[in-house]
Amino acid sequence: MDADRETLEAELRALEERSRKVRDELSAVAIEAKSNDGLIELTVGGHGRLHALTLDPRVKRLDVEELAGRLVEMTNDALDLLQHETAARMREAFPEFTAESPFGDQEGP
């Protein structure tokens, strides 16, 4: 019985260490997006927050609605890429867990 408990405790410690490693890796992830015309650049980080936004002065030529729409689209595209990256890293770190990702990502390893 003690051997089973020790084995379980060792497995839990290993799982905790893998979880900590993945969390640290994901916190360092940064997804960068740049518009085709180079007017807008943005970076989202591993926790889904916008870290940087750079607007070329030429964006003044865009009307407000177009600029807003492009910012929303680019941010959402970057967040989608971040979600896929997160899901891929989770599958890599925890291949024994085959449940659907929290992001609805249906792709397998």
Side-chain angles (χ1 to χ4, degrees):
M1 193 84 141
D2 281 340
D4 290 339
R5 181 178 176 174
E6 290 175 10
T7 300
L8 182 57
E9 287 175 350
E11 290 174 1
L12 287 173
R13 280 191 300 274
L15 183 60
E16 182 179 30
E17 180 58 33
R18 285 173 31 211
S19 296
R20 195 176 359 257
K21 181 181 177 198
V22 170
R23 183 190 66 222
D24 292 346
E25 289 175 0
L26 289 174
S27 68
V29 169
I31 302 294
E32 297 177 355
K34 186 173 185 175
S35 64
N36 291 335
D37 57 11
L39 296 180
I40 305 166
E41 294 181 40
L42 60 84
T43 303
V44 294
H47 294 293
R49 298 185 59 98
L50 182 63
H51 284 260
L53 174 63
T54 304
L55 301 174
D56 185 287
R58 295 175 293 157
V59 298
K60 293 176 186 175
R61 289 187 263 164
L62 302 175
D63 70 27
V64 173
E65 289 178 6
E66 182 180 356
L67 177 59
R70 288 175 67 177
L71 288 169
V72 168
E73 183 178 0
M74 286 182 65
T75 302
N76 286 335
D77 288 348
L79 290 172
D80 287 345
L81 290 172
L82 176 63
Q83 289 175 346
H84 288 288
E85 178 68 18
T86 299
R89 288 183 186 223
M90 294 297 284
R91 282 191 302 269
E92 183 180 308
F94 303 102
E96 66 273 27
F97 298 114
T98 58
E100 180 180 326
S101 85
F103 307 114
D105 184 359
Q106 299 291 322
E107 296 176 15

